Amino acid sequence: MNDEVEVNSEKGTGKRQGIARWLLVSLVAATVILSTLTPVDRLAESEYKALFQRALITFALARTLNGVISVVQGTEVALQPAGVGVTLTPGEVLDPINDLLERFSWIMLAATLSLGVQQVLLDVGQWWGVKLVLGLLGLAWLWLRLRPTTGRRPGSEQLLFRLFLLVVFIRFAVPMAMIANEGLYRLFLESRYLESTQSIETAGSEIRAAGSDDTDAAIEEVEEGVLGSLGRMFENTGKALNVKEKMAYIGERASDLIEHLIQLSVVFILQTGILPIAFLWIFLQLFKQLFRSKY
């Protein structure tokens, strides 16, 4: 009775091993075929271009906003309400946002450099030489796997399989990481990016308009001369109050800008730094496990 159980157990184990081996053969064959096709490469290129375009647009937006704030910081509004001189500088409240913009520009520069490196790695994976080596190694391993066991050199099949895995990693790791990266962006980061870029564009336009209005008011007062200023003394008092309101408004918009610049920083640090490294590390660990396996 025990002998029958052992025989059945060995048959079951052998059957499972046979199924696993044929699944592995099918997977290697499918990988060789997929390497010669272009859908994965095209999808990865499309995702890369979308990410690179977002980075360029955001970098240009940051530089434009920096220029607007620099102009507003250099303006001074001089009024003479009730005979008392008041000089207001709208840009004073923008010093923190200007400093943050400088740092954000460095983040975006690092993001574009990271994307440039990823582009090179994508090109390496798509090189015809890598595809040729992957195909040759895969076919050689399949030939050894499917031929009779007699005449095999010990360890040759395992060595070919490990070399095959190494080339597969070079061929597909970066494209798959890029595709997975963009998938997570669409799920969790896209709404943050769109909201922040739109808010920054709107806030930049409003700050530019507020600064321009204050500068125009100052120029009009200078052109009026002394007699005209005396005739509009009470009106200028109201203008001074209005300018102060605009200063407070600029401060509020600057606070909104800080929040959205931080949101954009998080998006691009994740997409161009943390997530690519995380996905490559996951793929590397997976390939290490396969590499250490005995097939």
Side-chain angles (χ1 to χ4, degrees):
M1 185 68 178
N2 291 333
D3 292 339
E4 290 182 2
V5 172
E6 290 179 0
V7 170
N8 292 332
S9 177
E10 289 177 358
K11 287 183 179 180
T13 302
K15 186 176 181 180
R16 287 193 297 270
Q17 289 178 349
I19 293 175
R21 288 173 182 174
W22 278 106
L23 285 176
L24 181 61
V25 167
S26 302
L27 181 61
V28 171
T31 303
V32 172
I33 295 172
L34 183 63
S35 177
T36 61
L37 304 177
T38 59
V40 174
D41 296 331
R42 289 180 180 176
L43 181 57
E45 284 285 344
S46 175
E47 304 290 24
Y48 169 81
K49 289 179 181 178
L51 176 54
F52 191 74
Q53 187 71 15
R54 287 198 303 272
L56 287 180
I57 291 173
T58 307
F59 185 76
L61 179 63
R63 299 309 300 172
T64 301
L65 182 60
N66 183 261
V68 170
I69 290 177
S70 297
V71 171
V72 174
Q73 282 183 312
T75 63
E76 289 186 351
V77 180
L79 298 174
Q80 301 292 331
V84 180
V86 176
T87 301
L88 300 175
T89 305
E92 290 177 356
V93 297
L94 297 177
D95 283 332
I97 189 68
N98 200 31
D99 294 338
L100 181 59
L101 272 172
E102 290 293 336
R103 292 170 174 80
F104 181 74
S105 297
W106 282 106
I107 292 174
M108 294 310 303
L109 179 59
T112 54
L113 291 175
S114 172
L115 289 173
V117 172
Q118 292 180 55
Q119 175 66 66
V120 174
L121 295 177
L122 281 174
D123 293 340
V124 170
Q126 296 173 13
W127 184 47
W128 66 269
V130 173
K131 296 180 180 179
L132 178 62
V133 172
L134 187 148
L136 292 176
L137 289 173
L139 292 175
W141 182 86
L142 289 171
W143 180 72
L144 285 178
R145 168 61 68 175
L146 297 176
R147 67 177 294 192
T149 57
T150 57
R152 291 186 187 178
R153 291 184 178 180
S156 59
E157 183 181 333
Q158 187 175 2
L159 176 61
L160 277 176
F161 185 73
R162 289 180 174 179
L163 291 174
F164 175 76
L165 286 178
L166 178 62
V167 181
V168 169
F169 182 81
I170 296 173
R171 173 71 178 90
F172 289 110
V174 175
M176 295 303 295
M178 182 66 68
I179 293 170
N181 190 355
E182 278 297 287
L184 282 182
Y185 165 77
R186 292 190 178 91
L187 284 174
F188 302 108
L189 301 175
E190 186 173 20
S191 59
R192 293 170 180 256
Y193 172 79
L194 294 175
E195 179 185 357
S196 295
T197 51
Q198 184 176 2
S199 298
I200 288 173
E201 289 178 355
T202 303
S205 300
E206 292 174 350
I207 289 174
R208 180 194 292 114
S212 300
D213 292 344
D214 295 338
T215 305
D216 293 341
I219 293 174
E220 289 177 2
E221 290 181 4
V222 171
E223 292 178 348
E224 281 183 351
V226 178
L227 293 178
S229 297
L230 291 175
R232 297 173 60 96
M233 184 187 337
F234 294 104
E235 183 178 351
N236 283 343
T237 302
K239 282 187 176 182
L241 296 175
N242 186 41
V243 169
K244 290 180 180 179
E245 291 176 359
K246 288 184 178 180
M247 292 276 289
Y249 177 75
I250 289 176
E252 292 176 2
R253 302 307 292 157
S255 299
D256 293 339
L257 281 174
I258 291 175
E259 177 185 352
H260 291 294
L261 284 173
I262 292 174
Q263 290 282 0
L264 287 180
S265 299
V266 170
V267 169
F268 282 99
I269 288 174
L270 282 173
Q271 272 219 284
T272 61
I274 296 176
L275 288 180
I277 294 174
F279 283 124
L280 289 177
W281 182 84
I282 292 171
F283 293 150
L284 182 60
Q285 297 307 309
L286 175 61
F287 277 95
K288 278 184 177 180
Q289 293 300 320
L290 294 173
F291 194 84
R292 293 168 181 169
S293 300
K294 295 180 179 180
Y295 292 107

